[in-house]
Amino acid sequence: MSDLNLNDVRDALKHLRILIIGRANSGKTTILQRVCNTTASPEIYDSKGQKAEVHVHICQRGYHDISRELVFSSNPGFIFHDSCGFEAGSEEEFEEMKKFVLERVTTLKLGERIHAIWYCISVTDHKRPILAAEEKFFTECDTKDVPVIVLFTKVDVFSDIAFNELRNQNTSFKIAKKEKYSYAVKMMDDLQAHMSSVLGKYKYPPEAYVQLSEMNKKKGDITPLLQCTTNALGTASLQMLLISQARNLELIVEFTVKR
Protein backbone atom coordinates (compact mmCIF):
# COMPACT_ATOMS: atom_id res chain seq x y z
CA MET A 1 0.00 0.00 0.00
CA SER A 2 3.01 2.32 0.28
CA ASP A 3 2.81 3.03 -3.48
CA LEU A 4 -0.70 4.44 -3.12
CA ASN A 5 -0.99 8.13 -2.29
CA LEU A 6 -3.76 9.76 -0.29
CA ASN A 7 -5.12 11.67 -3.27
CA ASP A 8 -5.72 8.39 -5.10
CA VAL A 9 -7.56 7.00 -2.10
CA ARG A 10 -9.74 10.11 -1.77
CA ASP A 11 -10.51 10.00 -5.50
CA ALA A 12 -11.39 6.32 -5.33
CA LEU A 13 -13.90 7.01 -2.59
CA LYS A 14 -15.74 9.61 -4.69
CA HIS A 15 -16.75 7.43 -7.63
CA LEU A 16 -17.82 3.88 -8.33
CA ARG A 17 -16.50 2.77 -11.73
CA ILE A 18 -18.35 0.02 -13.59
CA LEU A 19 -17.74 -1.67 -16.95
CA ILE A 20 -20.92 -2.79 -18.73
CA ILE A 21 -20.79 -5.49 -21.41
CA GLY A 22 -23.50 -6.91 -23.64
CA ARG A 23 -24.81 -7.54 -27.11
CA ALA A 24 -26.69 -4.89 -29.05
CA ASN A 25 -30.25 -4.38 -27.77
CA SER A 26 -29.54 -6.06 -24.45
CA GLY A 27 -30.83 -3.01 -22.59
CA LYS A 28 -27.53 -1.59 -21.33
CA THR A 29 -28.42 2.08 -21.75
CA THR A 30 -31.77 1.63 -20.01
CA ILE A 31 -30.13 -0.13 -17.07
CA LEU A 32 -27.60 2.65 -16.58
CA GLN A 33 -30.36 5.24 -16.77
CA ARG A 34 -32.38 3.32 -14.19
CA VAL A 35 -29.39 3.09 -11.85
CA CYS A 36 -28.94 6.85 -12.10
CA ASN A 37 -32.68 7.59 -12.04
CA THR A 38 -32.81 9.46 -15.33
CA THR A 39 -33.98 9.20 -18.92
CA ALA A 40 -31.25 11.52 -20.19
CA SER A 41 -28.19 10.46 -22.17
CA PRO A 42 -24.81 10.40 -20.41
CA GLU A 43 -22.08 12.96 -20.76
CA ILE A 44 -18.96 11.53 -22.44
CA TYR A 45 -15.45 12.19 -21.12
CA ASP A 46 -12.08 11.05 -22.42
CA SER A 47 -9.46 9.31 -20.30
CA LYS A 48 -8.07 12.71 -19.27
CA GLY A 49 -11.42 13.87 -17.96
CA GLN A 50 -12.09 16.21 -20.88
CA LYS A 51 -15.73 16.40 -21.93
CA ALA A 52 -16.52 15.35 -25.48
CA GLU A 53 -17.80 18.12 -27.71
CA VAL A 54 -20.89 16.14 -28.72
CA HIS A 55 -23.12 13.57 -27.09
CA VAL A 56 -22.53 10.10 -28.45
CA HIS A 57 -25.12 7.40 -27.87
CA ILE A 58 -23.80 4.27 -26.21
CA CYS A 59 -22.63 1.85 -28.89
CA GLN A 60 -23.47 4.20 -31.73
CA ARG A 61 -22.48 2.63 -35.03
CA GLY A 62 -18.94 3.51 -36.00
CA TYR A 63 -18.06 4.67 -32.50
CA HIS A 64 -16.10 2.73 -29.97
CA ASP A 65 -13.71 3.75 -27.23
CA ILE A 66 -13.88 1.66 -24.08
CA SER A 67 -11.68 4.12 -22.16
CA ARG A 68 -14.24 6.90 -22.47
CA GLU A 69 -16.26 7.60 -19.35
CA LEU A 70 -20.05 7.77 -19.34
CA VAL A 71 -21.43 9.98 -16.58
CA PHE A 72 -25.05 10.89 -15.92
CA SER A 73 -25.58 14.36 -14.49
CA SER A 74 -28.33 12.99 -12.22
CA ASN A 75 -25.77 10.86 -10.38
CA PRO A 76 -22.11 11.68 -11.17
CA GLY A 77 -20.98 9.33 -8.42
CA PHE A 78 -21.08 6.51 -10.97
CA ILE A 79 -18.62 6.32 -13.85
CA PHE A 80 -19.43 3.77 -16.54
CA HIS A 81 -17.44 2.26 -19.39
CA ASP A 82 -19.05 0.40 -22.28
CA SER A 83 -17.34 -2.45 -24.08
CA CYS A 84 -19.53 -2.37 -27.20
CA GLY A 85 -17.83 -4.01 -30.12
CA PHE A 86 -16.28 -7.34 -29.20
CA GLU A 87 -19.64 -9.06 -28.63
CA ALA A 88 -20.19 -8.88 -32.39
CA GLY A 89 -17.11 -11.00 -32.97
CA SER A 90 -14.33 -8.45 -33.43
CA GLU A 91 -11.03 -9.99 -32.31
CA GLU A 92 -9.33 -6.59 -32.25
CA GLU A 93 -11.95 -5.08 -29.99
CA PHE A 94 -11.94 -8.12 -27.72
CA GLU A 95 -8.20 -7.72 -27.21
CA GLU A 96 -8.70 -4.02 -26.58
CA MET A 97 -11.36 -4.82 -23.96
CA LYS A 98 -9.18 -7.47 -22.31
CA LYS A 99 -6.23 -5.07 -22.13
CA PHE A 100 -8.45 -2.37 -20.65
CA VAL A 101 -9.80 -4.74 -17.99
CA LEU A 102 -6.35 -5.97 -16.99
CA GLU A 103 -5.04 -2.41 -16.72
CA ARG A 104 -8.02 -1.19 -14.72
CA VAL A 105 -8.16 -4.08 -12.23
CA THR A 106 -4.44 -3.90 -11.43
CA THR A 107 -3.61 -0.18 -11.57
CA LEU A 108 -2.24 1.44 -8.44
CA LYS A 109 -4.16 4.59 -9.36
CA LEU A 110 -7.24 3.75 -7.35
CA GLY A 111 -9.31 6.47 -8.99
CA GLU A 112 -8.96 4.65 -12.33
CA ARG A 113 -9.84 1.16 -11.13
CA ILE A 114 -13.05 -0.53 -12.16
CA HIS A 115 -14.94 -1.95 -9.21
CA ALA A 116 -17.44 -4.25 -10.91
CA ILE A 117 -18.36 -5.62 -14.34
CA TRP A 118 -21.94 -6.10 -15.48
CA TYR A 119 -22.34 -8.62 -18.31
CA CYS A 120 -25.78 -8.23 -19.90
CA ILE A 121 -27.52 -11.15 -21.60
CA SER A 122 -31.01 -10.52 -22.96
CA VAL A 123 -33.44 -13.39 -22.48
CA THR A 124 -34.85 -12.55 -25.89
CA ASP A 125 -31.85 -14.64 -26.98
CA HIS A 126 -32.82 -17.49 -24.64
CA LYS A 127 -32.43 -20.12 -27.36
CA ARG A 128 -28.79 -19.14 -27.82
CA PRO A 129 -27.78 -17.48 -24.53
CA ILE A 130 -24.12 -18.45 -24.77
CA LEU A 131 -22.30 -17.45 -27.93
CA ALA A 132 -18.62 -17.24 -28.83
CA ALA A 133 -18.36 -13.85 -27.11
CA GLU A 134 -19.43 -15.27 -23.75
CA GLU A 135 -17.17 -18.30 -24.10
CA LYS A 136 -14.22 -16.10 -24.99
CA PHE A 137 -14.81 -13.60 -22.19
CA PHE A 138 -15.23 -16.13 -19.39
CA THR A 139 -12.36 -18.26 -20.69
CA GLU A 140 -9.77 -15.56 -21.32
CA CYS A 141 -10.62 -12.42 -19.37
CA ASP A 142 -8.98 -12.43 -15.93
CA THR A 143 -10.69 -9.76 -13.82
CA LYS A 144 -8.64 -10.57 -10.70
CA ASP A 145 -10.76 -9.75 -7.64
CA VAL A 146 -13.21 -7.53 -9.53
CA PRO A 147 -16.61 -9.28 -9.56
CA VAL A 148 -18.38 -10.04 -12.83
CA ILE A 149 -22.16 -10.15 -12.51
CA VAL A 150 -24.34 -11.59 -15.25
CA LEU A 151 -27.47 -9.52 -15.81
CA PHE A 152 -30.37 -11.35 -17.41
CA THR A 153 -32.23 -8.48 -19.05
CA LYS A 154 -35.75 -8.12 -20.47
CA VAL A 155 -36.98 -10.97 -18.28
CA ASP A 156 -40.54 -9.66 -18.64
CA VAL A 157 -40.70 -10.98 -22.22
CA PHE A 158 -40.70 -14.49 -20.77
CA SER A 159 -44.40 -14.21 -19.96
CA ASP A 160 -45.20 -14.15 -23.68
CA ILE A 161 -42.67 -16.90 -24.37
CA ALA A 162 -44.22 -18.98 -21.56
CA PHE A 163 -47.71 -18.43 -22.96
CA ASN A 164 -46.64 -19.69 -26.37
CA GLU A 165 -44.88 -22.69 -24.81
CA LEU A 166 -48.03 -23.61 -22.89
CA ARG A 167 -50.17 -23.27 -25.99
CA ASN A 168 -47.72 -25.49 -27.88
CA GLN A 169 -48.34 -28.09 -25.15
CA ASN A 170 -52.05 -28.00 -26.03
CA THR A 171 -52.92 -25.98 -22.94
CA SER A 172 -56.18 -24.07 -23.38
CA PHE A 173 -56.00 -20.33 -24.04
CA LYS A 174 -57.67 -19.52 -20.71
CA ILE A 175 -55.35 -21.70 -18.60
CA ALA A 176 -52.25 -20.62 -20.53
CA LYS A 177 -53.11 -16.98 -19.89
CA LYS A 178 -53.60 -17.71 -16.19
CA GLU A 179 -50.46 -19.79 -15.72
CA LYS A 180 -48.02 -17.98 -18.01
CA TYR A 181 -46.46 -15.90 -15.22
CA SER A 182 -45.66 -18.81 -12.92
CA TYR A 183 -44.47 -20.83 -15.90
CA ALA A 184 -42.28 -17.89 -16.97
CA VAL A 185 -40.62 -17.87 -13.53
CA LYS A 186 -39.85 -21.57 -13.88
CA MET A 187 -38.45 -21.11 -17.39
CA MET A 188 -36.27 -18.22 -16.24
CA ASP A 189 -34.99 -20.15 -13.23
CA ASP A 190 -34.20 -23.12 -15.49
CA LEU A 191 -32.32 -20.84 -17.88
CA GLN A 192 -30.30 -19.30 -15.05
CA ALA A 193 -29.47 -22.75 -13.65
CA HIS A 194 -28.30 -23.86 -17.10
CA MET A 195 -26.21 -20.72 -17.61
CA SER A 196 -24.69 -21.04 -14.15
CA SER A 197 -23.77 -24.65 -14.83
CA VAL A 198 -22.14 -23.86 -18.18
CA LEU A 199 -20.37 -20.62 -17.26
CA GLY A 200 -19.27 -22.06 -13.94
CA LYS A 201 -17.00 -24.48 -15.79
CA TYR A 202 -15.02 -21.73 -17.51
CA LYS A 203 -11.70 -20.46 -16.17
CA TYR A 204 -13.10 -17.10 -15.03
CA PRO A 205 -16.76 -17.69 -14.11
CA PRO A 206 -19.12 -14.92 -13.04
CA GLU A 207 -19.50 -14.04 -9.38
CA ALA A 208 -23.29 -13.80 -9.40
CA TYR A 209 -26.45 -13.59 -11.48
CA VAL A 210 -29.40 -11.21 -11.34
CA GLN A 211 -32.68 -11.04 -13.24
CA LEU A 212 -34.00 -7.67 -14.41
CA SER A 213 -37.36 -6.89 -15.93
CA GLU A 214 -39.30 -3.83 -17.09
CA MET A 215 -36.28 -1.56 -16.90
CA ASN A 216 -37.92 0.63 -19.53
CA LYS A 217 -40.90 1.25 -17.23
CA LYS A 218 -41.22 3.35 -14.12
CA LYS A 219 -42.15 0.31 -12.03
CA GLY A 220 -38.99 -1.55 -13.07
CA ASP A 221 -37.00 -2.40 -9.94
CA ILE A 222 -33.23 -1.86 -10.09
CA THR A 223 -32.77 -2.81 -6.42
CA PRO A 224 -31.83 -6.48 -7.09
CA LEU A 225 -28.88 -5.34 -9.22
CA LEU A 226 -27.72 -2.87 -6.57
CA GLN A 227 -28.06 -5.51 -3.84
CA CYS A 228 -26.20 -8.12 -5.86
CA THR A 229 -23.39 -5.73 -6.74
CA THR A 230 -23.03 -4.52 -3.17
CA ASN A 231 -22.76 -8.09 -1.90
CA ALA A 232 -20.19 -8.93 -4.57
CA LEU A 233 -17.86 -6.03 -3.80
CA GLY A 234 -14.82 -7.16 -1.87
CA THR A 235 -14.51 -4.48 0.80
CA ALA A 236 -16.80 -2.68 3.21
CA SER A 237 -15.58 0.69 1.93
CA LEU A 238 -16.66 -0.11 -1.64
CA GLN A 239 -19.98 -1.44 -0.38
CA MET A 240 -20.63 1.77 1.51
CA LEU A 241 -19.57 3.78 -1.54
CA LEU A 242 -22.14 2.03 -3.73
CA ILE A 243 -24.86 2.39 -1.09
CA SER A 244 -24.19 6.10 -0.74
CA GLN A 245 -24.11 6.67 -4.51
CA ALA A 246 -27.14 4.55 -5.35
CA ARG A 247 -29.58 6.60 -3.24
CA ASN A 248 -31.79 3.54 -2.88
CA LEU A 249 -33.79 3.45 0.36
CA GLU A 250 -34.32 -0.32 0.33
CA LEU A 251 -30.59 -0.89 -0.13
CA ILE A 252 -29.73 1.55 2.67
CA VAL A 253 -32.15 -0.13 5.09
CA GLU A 254 -30.94 -3.63 4.24
CA PHE A 255 -27.25 -2.93 4.81
CA THR A 256 -27.88 -0.72 7.84
CA VAL A 257 -29.61 -3.71 9.49
CA LYS A 258 -26.74 -6.01 8.50
CA ARG A 259 -24.22 -3.68 10.10
Side-chain angles (χ1 to χ4, degrees):
M1 297 291 291
S2 60
D3 292 328
L4 306 178
N5 63 60
L6 290 177
N7 288 332
D8 282 336
V9 175
R10 291 193 188 99
D11 187 44
L13 295 178
K14 290 180 182 178
H15 304 95
L16 198 77
R17 192 180 294 270
I18 295 173
L19 170 63
I20 190 165
I21 298 172
R23 304 172 203 168
N25 300 315
S26 60
K28 291 183 292 183
T29 304
T30 306
I31 289 169
L32 300 188
Q33 290 172 325
R34 178 65 67 179
V35 168
C36 295
N37 194 28
T38 184
T39 57
S41 297
E43 302 285 353
I44 313 295
Y45 295 86
D46 63 23
S47 58
K48 296 180 180 180
Q50 298 298 312
K51 186 177 178 180
E53 294 183 2
V54 294
H55 289 283
V56 182
H57 191 273
I58 296 177
C59 273
Q60 178 177 312
R61 177 173 293 183
Y63 169 83
H64 174 75
D65 186 349
I66 193 172
S67 68
R68 289 209 169 184
E69 301 174 348
L70 312 177
V71 180
F72 292 89
S73 59
S74 61
N75 195 337
F78 285 99
I79 296 176
F80 300 104
H81 295 270
D82 183 42
S83 71
C84 54
F86 89 89
E87 300 90 348
S90 168
E91 181 67 26
E92 180 181 352
E93 289 180 333
F94 176 81
E95 291 301 324
E96 179 185 348
M97 181 278 302
K98 190 165 71 169
K99 179 183 177 183
F100 173 83
V101 169
L102 184 60
E103 289 175 349
R104 293 304 184 98
V105 301
T106 59
T107 180
L108 294 177
K109 297 179 180 179
L110 296 186
E112 296 182 2
R113 284 189 183 178
I114 53 175
H115 302 113
I117 298 174
W118 293 341
Y119 200 116
C120 301
I121 297 177
S122 172
V123 300
T124 56
D125 297 325
H126 70 283
K127 292 185 177 181
R128 49 173 198 149
I130 301 177
L131 298 179
E134 285 74 44
E135 293 181 5
K136 197 170 182 62
F137 179 85
F138 292 107
T139 299
E140 299 183 24
C141 197
D142 183 2
T143 65
K144 305 300 181 184
D145 59 349
V146 172
V148 179
I149 300 169
V150 168
L151 282 54
F152 292 110
T153 66
K154 303 185 179 181
V155 171
D156 42 300
V157 305
F158 248 112
S159 59
D160 291 333
I161 296 172
F163 176 82
N164 292 330
E165 287 282 343
L166 289 168
R167 291 291 286 153
N168 289 337
Q169 297 171 18
N170 296 320
T171 305
S172 70
F173 181 92
K174 183 177 181 179
I175 293 177
K177 187 175 181 180
K178 179 181 179 181
E179 296 183 352
K180 68 177 183 178
Y181 295 108
S182 59
Y183 195 68
V185 171
K186 178 183 181 302
M187 289 180 65
M188 187 61 235
D189 288 343
D190 289 346
L191 175 62
Q192 179 169 323
H194 169 70
M195 291 284 289
S196 178
S197 175
V198 174
L199 296 180
K201 296 175 183 177
Y202 291 137
K203 187 174 182 179
Y204 304 111
E207 176 86 10
Y209 301 83
V210 64
Q211 300 177 17
L212 299 176
S213 63
E214 299 184 313
M215 289 293 99
N216 60 334
K217 299 179 182 179
K218 192 170 183 179
K219 64 180 179 179
D221 188 7
I222 199 66
T223 302
L225 173 59
L226 298 175
Q227 290 171 325
C228 184
T229 305
T230 303
N231 285 322
L233 292 173
T235 66
S237 59
L238 286 178
Q239 290 178 329
M240 292 307 299
L241 176 61
L242 188 151
I243 292 168
S244 65
Q245 303 292 12
R247 305 170 188 172
N248 180 284
L249 181 59
E250 187 175 340
L251 188 68
I252 293 171
V253 171
E254 176 185 345
F255 281 88
T256 299
V257 171
K258 284 185 177 181
R259 287 173 64 87

